[in-house]
Amino acid sequence: MYPQVLFRNRKPDRIVTLDEYRAGGGYRALGDVLRKRSAGEVCRVVDEAGLRGRGGAGFPASKKWESVPADGAYPRYLVANSDEMEPGTFKDRVLIHADPHTIIEGMILAGYAIGASKAFLFVRPSYESSAAIMERELRIAREAGYLGRNILGTDYSLDIVVHRSGGRYICGEASALLNAVMGKRPNPQRPPPYPTVKGLWERPTVVNNVETLANVPHILRNGPEWFRGLSRSKTPGTKLFCISGKVSRPGCVELPMGTRLNEIIEEHAGGMAPGSEFKACLPGGASTYFLTRDNLHAGMDFDGMAAVKNRLGTGAVIVFDRKTCLVGATLNLMRFFARESCGWCTPCREGLPYMRDLLERIEEGEGREEYIPMLRLMSRQVWNSYCALAPGAASPVESLLDHFADEVHEHISQKRCPFKD
Amino acid sequence: MIPEEMRSALARKAASAESPREQAIDVMFELQDHYGYMTDEAMEEAAGILGMTTLELEELATFYDHIYRSPVGRYVIHVCDSAVCWMEGYQRIIDYLCQRLKLTVGGTSPDGLFTLLPVCCIGYCDRAPAMMINRNVYGRLTREKIDRILDRLIEHSQFHEME
């Protein structure tokens, strides 16, 4: 059993209460920080700990906070991103349902570090239960003096509200999310200006993933050295890994950064499901590359995945077995991405449906060999899109062609899907 | 027309935000619950409360998955078609729902009770295949489980009609 940080209080069947959270040392970091430490010190401790964003991009949290200009305007805002719609990913849901106060305390501390007076927790409609839990626990935190005016009798005031989304994948992208909060169409916006300079209502705004924020109280309470020591790699801390697909025990587990993929699958997910044999996995959600058996020894962290030309993404491992058609799986992913394109820029709006149609023809037995270079070309072209949605969508396609070309050729030569009866 | 009490409650909600349009989704969700879907009248009501033009609101209403601009059944079934649910039998679930409720994807059952829509990904990959009905989630679906869920909802709606 590895040290549990975010899941330290996790109960098998219910949410951790405020009293239980406090009994385990919860909200101690908040009192300590607000009374004794400056905002700059909070940034420094988090910087020394080397906390990197857990939403996918892995940007250092302290660097993001410090990019709010010292003379930046007020009010300032913090947004906790739990708009989790990346297929295969459900860690934010599990975290909110396990220990909501670790997120609330993390949000208050991050808010203090950047001088925010209001924070939003962005929740998607599929997670209505998460929104309701957070609203209840925010009320409890407010009544206990941890939130609202003059927190714990200090000069610092912060309010947190739950913002419900209408539900679209693009809302998870930070700049699109900010538009969504302001009641605008959630198109992404390319910097500059960066949201930390001009975000919500043109005021400095920091967007962090909820898993990132949940680490903050623990870092401030236990110190940077402790946080670094949790990891088995250069990326400090632990990570919530979601495992789904053809494994015996799908679920969400907290493991040290750098834990090897084969250990995650074999030990923590109980190995392959009965009667299934491993073929491939997407290691970090739907917008990462298919990874084959040859690279299962790779460590799950930013460097470990980069070493095998992949990405950690959200740390959501989707396992596919020998009986699953990867052309069909890639088509499913491309249907999703094409449907979820916000339509703002041409490469994404036009390119993804084009790729979907080519894959559809191949899967339906109407494919031709020349579709393969066309798919390759389109995969490169969509990198010209405005945000990361389309390049993410191209990742499974590129790796399908790299590692499972035989399967694609077989569909074309047999004029049918070889996996269908 | 919505009840005056509801209008003033929504107006207070809009006024409490940083800017009223920040509440666009919440206001639409509440009006949608009242009207059954976002009717043209509901759109005008919402736009008035939020200080937006109906066109600006239309831009949002037609973008989001959970705002309906056409009539839907009392229960909206969102079946997750993510890669994981797809692998774990999504097609069987869809086929069974279509057969049992006598509808097609995107359509409403003849009794007007159920509308079936695809959605991805509802984040219950560890309990695939999964679906959501009026934002309640059901996982590890089988035919028997679907029958139990639908029977309960049908019974519930009949009970309400008798009242």
Side-chain angles (χ1 to χ4, degrees):
Chain A
M1 189 69 177
Y2 294 108
Q4 300 289 288
V5 179
L6 306 182
F7 282 168
R8 64 200 297 263
N9 300 319
R10 188 184 185 185
K11 307 275 183 288
D13 52 357
R14 64 177 178 84
I15 299 157
V16 174
T17 63
L18 172 64
D19 285 342
E20 285 168 333
Y21 181 66
R22 276 196 295 221
Y27 286 115
R28 231 177 269 166
L30 182 69
D32 176 55
V33 163
L34 295 189
R35 291 190 190 102
K36 298 180 203 153
R37 296 191 190 188
S38 68
E41 274 179 80
V42 174
C43 285
R44 190 176 47 76
V45 173
V46 172
D47 189 57
E48 280 172 18
L51 175 66
R52 292 175 66 175
R54 306 299 202 231
F59 192 77
S62 60
K63 297 275 178 291
K64 194 183 270 189
W65 298 352
E66 282 164 1
S67 68
V68 174
D71 58 352
Y74 289 89
R76 297 171 179 185
Y77 303 100
L78 174 82
V79 184
N81 185 353
S82 67
D83 187 67
E84 180 173 62
M85 202 168 162
E86 174 86 357
T89 311
F90 47 94
K91 65 185 180 67
D92 297 348
R93 165 180 60 87
V94 175
L95 183 58
I96 291 172
H97 284 238
D99 201 354
H101 287 280
T102 194
I103 300 170
I104 297 173
E105 188 180 5
M107 287 179 74
I108 304 168
L109 290 165
Y112 178 71
I114 62 161
S117 54
K118 186 161 183 181
F120 297 86
L121 181 87
F122 195 89
V123 185
R124 51 186 299 225
S126 317
Y127 285 7
E128 179 53 33
S129 55
S130 307
I133 289 167
M134 288 306 292
E135 278 179 336
R136 187 188 66 205
E137 299 303 321
L138 284 168
R139 203 163 50 237
I140 292 170
R142 206 170 286 126
E143 281 163 13
Y146 297 119
L147 202 57
R149 276 189 183 279
N150 303 107
I151 296 171
L152 295 172
T154 65
D155 288 341
Y156 184 59
S157 301
L158 176 83
D159 203 14
I160 304 178
V161 295
V162 171
H163 185 99
R164 284 175 170 77
S165 158
R168 282 299 290 270
Y169 178 64
I170 193 66
C171 294
E173 202 275 342
S175 61
L177 180 147
L178 296 181
N179 276 331
V181 171
M182 290 187 288
K184 296 179 183 170
R185 194 179 194 275
N187 297 324
Q189 210 170 321
R190 188 178 279 178
Y194 284 91
T196 48
V197 179
K198 277 188 177 180
L200 289 175
W201 302 287
E202 307 225 319
R203 306 289 174 160
T205 305
V206 166
V207 182
N208 284 137
N209 180 264
V210 293
E211 186 188 345
T212 316
L213 290 165
N215 275 295
V216 175
H218 304 284
I219 292 172
L220 288 164
R221 204 169 70 230
N222 300 308
E225 288 306 315
W226 164 85
F227 189 67
R228 289 182 172 276
L230 294 168
S231 167
R232 291 167 68 180
S233 74
K234 272 198 233 161
T235 310
T238 61
K239 176 84 191 81
L240 302 183
F241 294 107
C242 303
I243 316 150
S244 61
K246 298 290 186 188
V247 290
S248 292
R249 284 198 313 270
C252 182
V253 286
E254 179 175 13
L255 296 169
M257 272 284 189
T259 303
R260 295 187 188 286
L261 249 176
N262 46 12
E263 183 188 324
I264 295 178
I265 295 170
E266 292 304 326
E267 291 179 31
H268 304 287
M272 294 299 291
S276 312
E277 196 190 331
F278 181 90
K279 178 152 79 176
C281 72
L282 288 165
S287 47
T288 55
Y289 300 91
F290 283 114
L291 191 142
T292 62
R293 183 177 283 282
D294 299 341
N295 286 326
L296 277 179
H297 61 280
M300 283 290 277
D301 70 326
F302 297 104
D303 300 325
M305 281 295 107
V308 294
K309 296 189 171 54
N310 217 317
R311 294 190 307 109
L312 180 66
T314 58
V317 185
I318 308 176
V319 178
F320 300 89
D321 72 339
R322 291 249 156 242
K323 292 179 193 156
T324 303
C325 171
L326 287 190
V327 175
T330 311
L331 169 60
N332 170 283
L333 297 169
M334 194 48 80
R335 279 181 177 150
F336 162 73
F337 287 115
R339 187 170 75 199
E340 292 302 327
S341 168
C342 79
W344 179 246
C345 71
T346 313
C348 183
R349 183 184 62 243
E350 306 291 333
L352 300 187
Y354 193 94
M355 293 170 77
R356 177 199 63 203
D357 290 352
L358 292 173
L359 285 166
E360 207 160 61
R361 289 191 205 181
I362 295 171
E363 175 66 5
E364 297 299 322
E366 293 158 11
R368 294 187 196 167
E369 284 294 329
E370 66 251 38
Y371 291 175
I372 295 174
M374 285 161 84
L375 278 169
R376 287 235 182 245
L377 178 67
M378 291 306 296
S379 298
R380 283 195 298 275
Q381 293 290 0
V382 296
W383 278 82
N384 295 315
S385 60
Y386 203 71
C387 78
L389 189 151
S395 305
V397 180
E398 286 178 64
S399 53
L400 172 79
L401 301 177
D402 286 343
H403 303 303
F404 299 96
D406 289 354
E407 221 170 276
V408 182
H409 290 305
E410 221 176 317
H411 276 77
I412 296 170
S413 62
Q414 290 187 18
K415 295 191 189 311
R416 63 187 281 275
C417 172
F419 293 88
K420 282 183 187 155
D421 300 328
Chain B
M1 289 281 280
I2 52 169
E4 196 44 51
E5 203 179 319
M6 186 180 179
R7 180 179 293 110
S8 51
L10 289 174
R12 274 198 304 278
K13 199 178 171 78
S16 72
E18 303 288 296
S19 81
R21 60 186 298 159
E22 178 198 318
Q23 294 290 335
I25 304 297
D26 279 10
V27 167
M28 283 198 281
F29 277 159
E30 289 206 27
L31 289 175
Q32 185 163 274
D33 285 346
H34 178 78
Y35 285 93
Y37 71 103
M38 282 308 284
T39 60
D40 291 346
E41 187 182 290
M43 290 294 287
E44 278 174 34
E45 296 265 16
I49 291 164
L50 296 162
M52 295 166 73
T53 66
T54 46
L55 185 65
E56 281 179 302
L57 199 64
E58 192 78 78
E59 200 179 35
L60 299 183
T62 52
F63 186 76
Y64 287 112
D65 285 351
H66 291 259
I67 306 287
Y68 315 121
R69 278 293 273 125
S70 320
V72 288
R74 178 180 293 180
Y75 302 109
V76 178
I77 308 177
H78 279 103
V79 183
C80 181
D81 62 7
S82 79
V84 181
C85 286
W86 168 83
M87 193 168 20
E88 300 294 330
Y90 152 84
Q91 195 58 49
R92 281 200 310 276
I93 302 300
I94 281 283
D95 291 345
Y96 185 63
L97 284 166
C98 288
Q99 177 210 322
R100 158 127 200 216
L101 299 174
K102 298 184 181 61
L103 45 64
T104 51
V105 177
T108 299
S109 58
D111 58 9
L113 266 190
F114 297 95
T115 296
L116 181 63
L117 296 171
V119 71
C120 176
C121 154
I122 61 172
Y124 284 77
C125 319
D126 52 341
R127 298 183 215 165
M131 68 177 178
M132 194 169 48
I133 305 181
N134 292 8
R135 294 202 237 166
N136 292 312
V137 180
Y138 306 89
R140 298 193 184 101
L141 294 175
T142 58
R143 278 178 170 226
E144 293 72 32
K145 193 164 180 183
I146 291 173
D147 279 338
R148 279 202 302 275
I149 296 162
L150 296 181
D151 289 344
R152 205 170 53 233
L153 293 177
I154 291 166
E155 196 181 319
H156 186 254
S157 69
Q158 282 166 346
F159 175 75
H160 275 273
E161 265 162 33
M162 275 161 54
E163 278 183 323

